[in-house]
Amino acid sequence: MTTSVIPYNQYEAQNAYQRLRTCLSRESAEAIAEIKTFLKMFPDVPLAHNDLGVLYHQSGNDLLALAHYEKANRLQPNNPTVIKNLAEFYFVVLGWTDDAIEMLTELLNAWPNDFEILTALGNISETVGQPEEARAFYRKANQLEPGNAEVREILARLDGPVSAAEYRQPALLPQQDEELAPLQQLLAQNPASALAHNNLGIVYSRRGEYDQARFHHEQAVKCEPANLMYRKNLADLYYTACGMIDEAVEIYTQLIKEYPNDVEVLTALAIFSKEAKLPEQSRIFINKVLALQPWNTEARTFLSGV
C-alpha cells in the first residue's frame, strides 16, 4: 500500500498548523513528533519547519535543526522570524559571522524598528569587537523598549565616551542637568581627564554654550591628541557651531589619512564636499561608505541628493 500527501492549499495548511501550535506538548521530544506527523500531511508549511528547527536545536541535534531552518527559509524567504532564527544559528552554532550579518542587515532595511534584529546585530557587533556599532544598535533597541533591563545592562557595560555619532543625535544623550554635575566633579578630581572634557563639551553644546563646548573639546584633544573620537567631536563642533570650516576640514583630512575606512570620517567629508559644491568628490566619499556598509540607508539617501 502506498501513501501520498493529501492535496491542500497553503492557507488551509497554515491555519491547521496554527491550531496545532496552540496545543503542542511542552516536552521537546513529543512536540517534535507532533510536528513531524503534521509535516507528513502538510510538508510545505514554513513555520512548522522553523519551529522544528528550534526544537531540534534545543535538543542538541544541530544537523537536523539546520536542515529545517534552511527548508523554512526556502519556502518563505522573506519571513523575518525564519531569517532571524537562521542567522542566529549561523552565528552561534556555525560561526558564519559574515552570512549572519548580511542576512540581518538586509532584514533591518525592511524592518528598521525590529527589536530582535537590532539586539541580534548588537550582540554580533560586540562579539566581533565593534563596540561603537554594538552601542548604536542597542541604543536604538533601548528607544523601542526603554523598560528592557537586559538592554540597559548591556548599554551600561558598553558605555564610555560619547561618540561623534551620538553628538549628531543629541536625543540619545543623558539629560543635561543630570550629567553636568558628576562630570564637573570628575574634572575637579582630575583636570586632565579627556573623557570628562569631551562629555562636558557635548553637554555645553546641547545648551548652546558653544564657547564652553569649544574649550572642553579642545582640552579633550589636548589631553589625548591621538583619540579618534575626541578629534571628530572637535571637528564637528568647529564645523556646525563655530564657523571654523577650514579647521574642521583640516582635522578630517588628517583623520582620513590615518583611518581610511572610518565611516563617520568619510560621511563628514562627503557632507563637506557637497556643501563646498564638489559633487564628484562627495560621491567618492559616500560611495566608499556604501562599499563598507551596503545596508546604510542614510548614505543611500544622501547619495541620491548629490
Side-chain angles (χ1 to χ4, degrees), residues 74-88:
R74 285 196 301 273
L75 290 170
Q76 195 172 9
N78 297 320
N79 186 303
T81 299
V82 171
I83 295 172
K84 283 185 284 189
N85 285 343
L86 181 58
E88 182 181 5

Side-chain angles (χ1 to χ4, degrees), residues 84-103:
K84 283 185 284 189
N85 285 343
L86 181 58
E88 182 181 5
F89 189 89
Y90 279 175
F91 178 67
V92 174
V93 178
L94 301 178
W96 295 355
T97 304
D98 292 342
D99 298 88
I101 291 173
E102 182 179 356
M103 293 173 70

Side-chain angles (χ1 to χ4, degrees), residues 173-177 179-180 183 198-209 213 217:
L173 294 172
Q175 292 297 313
Q176 300 164 5
D177 294 338
E179 194 174 49
L180 195 57
L183 287 172
N198 176 75
N199 287 7
L200 277 168
I202 298 295
V203 176
Y204 280 121
S205 292
R206 293 187 63 198
R207 296 162 68 105
E209 299 178 32
H217 279 304

Side-chain angles (χ1 to χ4, degrees), residues 71-241:
K71 180 69 178 288
N73 193 44
R74 285 196 301 273
L75 290 170
Q76 195 172 9
N78 297 320
N79 186 303
T81 299
V82 171
I83 295 172
K84 283 185 284 189
N85 285 343
L86 181 58
E88 182 181 5
F89 189 89
Y90 279 175
F91 178 67
V92 174
V93 178
L94 301 178
W96 295 355
T97 304
D98 292 342
D99 298 88
I101 291 173
E102 182 179 356
M103 293 173 70
L104 289 171
T105 50
E106 287 182 5
L107 196 59
L108 190 63
N109 286 333
W111 306 87
N113 292 321
D114 188 289
F115 179 83
E116 291 182 359
I117 300 171
L118 289 163
T119 53
L121 284 167
N123 176 48
I124 293 175
S125 298
E126 184 181 7
T127 303
V128 300
Q130 298 293 333
E132 287 195 28
E133 285 82 353
R135 184 163 55 178
F137 287 124
Y138 280 122
R139 283 191 182 279
K140 181 66 180 292
N142 187 54
Q143 284 183 305
L144 296 170
E145 293 190 15
N148 190 295
E150 183 178 357
V151 170
R152 290 203 307 271
E153 289 176 8
I154 293 170
L155 280 172
R157 185 177 70 247
L158 291 171
D159 205 15
V162 180
S163 72
E166 293 165 327
Y167 177 82
R168 288 189 283 271
Q169 301 178 54
L172 300 182
L173 294 172
Q175 292 297 313
Q176 300 164 5
D177 294 338
E178 293 178 4
E179 194 174 49
L180 195 57
L183 287 172
Q184 289 173 331
Q185 183 178 0
L186 176 61
L187 200 59
Q189 296 170 350
N190 179 13
S193 171
L195 171 61
H197 279 298
N198 176 75
N199 287 7
L200 277 168
I202 298 295
V203 176
Y204 280 121
S205 292
R206 293 187 63 198
R207 296 162 68 105
E209 299 178 32
Y210 297 120
D211 288 340
Q212 285 276 27
R214 176 183 167 185
F215 169 78
H216 285 291
H217 279 304
E218 288 176 343
Q219 288 299 309
V221 172
K222 183 178 179 181
C223 293
E224 291 188 24
N227 188 291
L228 170 64
M229 188 184 300
Y230 301 157
R231 292 158 73 189
K232 286 193 285 190
N233 285 356
L234 177 60
D236 280 357
L237 181 71
Y238 280 168
Y239 189 81
T240 60

Side-chain angles (χ1 to χ4, degrees), residues 23-61:
C23 55
L24 280 173
S25 171
R26 294 187 178 182
E27 295 295 326
S28 292
E30 293 179 12
I32 288 172
E34 290 166 359
I35 297 175
K36 287 175 67 178
T37 299
F38 173 86
L39 285 171
K40 288 179 181 178
M41 296 182 291
F42 305 104
D44 294 329
V45 178
L47 190 57
H49 284 285
N50 173 79
D51 291 351
L52 199 52
V54 172
L55 290 167
Y56 274 129
H57 177 48
Q58 290 174 348
S59 63
N61 194 331

